[in-house]
Amino acid sequence: MTRKVSNFSDLIQRVTTSCFLHPFDDHRSDVGDREEEYHSGSLGNRHEDEDANEEGYYGEEKMVMGLKVSREEKKLKKMRALMEEVFEAVSAMKSAYVSLQEAHCPWDPERLREADVAVVAQLKKLALLRDRFHGSVSSVEEGKGRRRGGGHAPYETLLMKEDLLLQNLKEKLQCAATLSTHQNKAQPYTKRNLASNSHIQAAGFVAAPSPPELLEATMAQVKEASKSFTSLLFSLMHDAQWDMDAAVRSMGAASATTTDKYYNNKNTCSVTTTSTTVSTLHAKYALESYIYKKMFQGFDHESFYMDNSTLSSLLNPAQFRRDCFSQYCHMKSVDPSELIGGVLATCNFGKFCSKKYLSIVHPKMEESLFGDLEQHSVVSEGKHPRTRFYKEFLGVAKGVWLLHLVAFWFDPVPSKFEASAGAEFHPRYMESVLKFAGGTVPPRKIVGFSVSPGFKLGNGSVLKARVYLMARN
């Protein structure tokens, strides 16, 4: 009972407090004022004004929405027109690129220049269209894109291609500067001639390499590509459980216990090889030596014997050298799989790749490595497979082809040489593929077999041959 009374007292206190805070007189006076306004008509007029304002508001909103719709339609029209221009530019660039490919076979320098200019022009046009598209995007959307961190993501690929194109043009400029510096000169390798390339450095480009440096750099590319292809081929042979001793002997890089005589500097020496089991390192270098021998067969001919004519280098040798260097500049930055695509598949480089692949990879070898002759059949038909194995081979083929172009740009053409098995090691002309302690070749080492050829240039400089050394017994 006491608890109920206490609760009731609390209720009275709350009502009293509410009355002090909200007097009844003010409320009644407000209601009275509203009743007077209603009877006098002022409240009705206020409702009419509100209705009128409401109609005006919605009318303005409809106008704004109409403007927004018309603006969106204009934007869509602009975007459609822009996309049509993009498709036209891409189509024109594709046609120009086809013309660029066709100019390679037969080789037409003038048509190459025209097609190159057309491709660059369409790329520039695409860049302008890209800028116009960026300008048509609202700042709000651009801000959202930047906040998401992906505002320019769709164009990263295009920008990368433009950077590659710019780099390619720089390389072509360097090649052209080198060609103009050295062509038609009796002594093309002097420092005096190379000094004329200083204007290229002033323009922000790397100085064009001298011919000996260019030959050495290209040979270095051949080495890297051959090592990669040899490693892949060796691993496939190992997985197929090849008898590597027999394979090495068949390559001529090792033999059973035999005694042979070799002549060097008019002195006779006897060499005995007693290897019954070759090491992995020996087998790899023997395989690489086999690949080099096959790839460099016909190197002394101006077209690798892809045709039987030598009239080009005899009738107009200066023009022939310029064409060789121009081909080098166009091919050096292009992926080899693209070089054999389309119209170039049946040109000299495509024929070169097919011929060398068939000479290196025997049908029985391919069948044991892959279980079929699919790649061999494709290559025999004059086509080029898209397998990893063939792609690795193309790296070697492209490197050797570029080296051939550089060599035939020289006047005179460098002479190729190989170290004979059993010959004394000569540091001026040879380089050991095996590394020895202290960096020097120990005594009583002779050439077991030649791995890669060397070159002697007309100015007396030498690009060393690589050799596998063995101990003299």
Side-chain angles (χ1 to χ4, degrees), residues 13-310:
Q13 185 177 1
R14 290 179 184 178
V15 171
T16 305
T17 304
S18 176
C19 289
F20 279 115
L21 293 175
H22 303 286
F24 290 107
D25 294 340
D26 293 342
H27 176 69
R28 283 195 299 269
S29 63
D30 180 62
V31 172
D33 292 340
R34 291 178 63 85
E35 287 178 355
E36 289 179 2
E37 286 179 358
Y38 179 80
H39 289 297
S40 64
S42 59
L43 188 61
N45 293 336
R46 185 184 300 175
H47 284 299
E48 291 178 1
D49 293 340
E50 289 177 356
D51 292 339
N53 292 335
E54 188 175 2
E55 290 179 2
Y57 172 76
Y58 284 112
E60 290 177 0
E61 186 179 12
K62 289 178 181 178
M63 290 178 63
V64 171
M65 290 298 293
L67 289 174
K68 287 183 178 179
V69 170
S70 63
R71 288 175 182 172
E72 290 297 329
E73 289 178 351
K74 289 180 179 179
K75 286 182 180 180
L76 287 175
K77 288 180 179 179
K78 287 182 179 180
M79 291 298 296
R80 290 193 186 101
L82 185 64
M83 292 306 298
E84 289 177 0
E85 292 185 48
V86 170
F87 286 126
E88 290 176 0
V90 171
S91 178
M93 186 178 68
K94 184 178 179 180
S95 301
Y97 185 73
V98 171
S99 300
L100 185 67
Q101 278 193 318
E102 292 175 345
H104 284 79
C105 184
W107 184 259
D108 189 344
E110 186 62 32
R111 191 178 176 189
L112 270 171
R113 282 190 288 270
E114 293 177 358
D116 197 22
V117 170
V119 171
V120 173
Q122 295 304 323
L123 283 173
K124 288 181 178 178
K125 185 175 181 180
L126 284 172
L128 292 174
L129 292 173
R130 179 201 60 190
D131 294 338
R132 282 175 53 189
F133 177 77
H134 277 303
S136 64
V137 178
S138 66
S139 59
V140 176
E141 292 298 324
E142 288 181 351
K144 291 180 180 179
R146 283 192 294 269
R147 285 193 296 271
R148 288 193 300 266
H152 301 288
Y155 312 104
E156 289 178 356
T157 303
L158 181 58
L159 290 173
M160 290 175 64
K161 289 183 178 180
E162 290 180 358
D163 291 339
L164 290 175
L165 174 64
L166 181 60
Q167 183 63 30
N168 190 21
L169 292 175
K170 287 181 179 180
E171 291 177 353
K172 288 181 179 179
L173 177 60
Q174 294 172 13
C175 291
T178 307
L179 181 61
S180 62
T181 302
H182 299 292
Q183 66 184 2
N184 297 325
K185 292 188 177 183
Q187 296 178 348
Y189 314 132
T190 61
K191 293 182 179 179
R192 180 180 178 182
N193 292 336
L194 296 177
S196 62
N197 290 326
S198 58
H199 66 282
I200 303 178
Q201 290 179 332
F205 299 104
V206 179
S210 65
E213 291 173 343
L214 189 60
L215 187 72
E216 186 176 359
T218 309
M219 188 63 187
Q221 295 176 6
V222 176
K223 292 177 186 177
E224 290 300 320
S226 66
K227 284 181 180 179
S228 179
F229 178 63
T230 301
S231 296
L232 177 59
L233 181 56
F234 185 84
S235 64
L236 290 172
M237 294 169 70
H238 184 269
D239 293 340
Q241 298 181 352
W242 274 49
D243 184 350
M244 296 309 301
D245 297 344
V248 168
R249 286 194 295 270
S250 68
M251 296 171 192
S255 61
T257 304
T258 57
T259 301
D260 297 315
K261 290 185 178 181
Y262 300 92
Y263 295 86
N264 183 40
N265 295 329
K266 300 181 180 180
N267 294 322
T268 305
C269 63
S270 296
V271 179
T272 303
T273 56
T274 58
S275 63
T276 56
T277 303
V278 298
S279 65
T280 300
L281 198 61
H282 186 139
K284 281 187 176 181
Y285 281 119
L287 183 59
E288 188 175 358
S289 173
Y290 164 78
I291 293 170
Y292 269 104
K293 282 182 172 63
K294 295 293 185 180
M295 293 300 298
F296 276 85
Q297 284 180 354
F299 189 91
D300 296 332
H301 190 267
E302 69 175 44
S303 66
F304 266 109
Y305 293 104
M306 295 298 108
D307 54 52
N308 296 323
S309 175
T310 57

Side-chain angles (χ1 to χ4, degrees), residues 424-431 447 464:
E424 296 286 345
F425 176 76
H426 199 301
R428 172 170 167 76
Y429 298 98
M430 304 176 194
E431 175 188 357
V447 176
K464 297 179 182 180

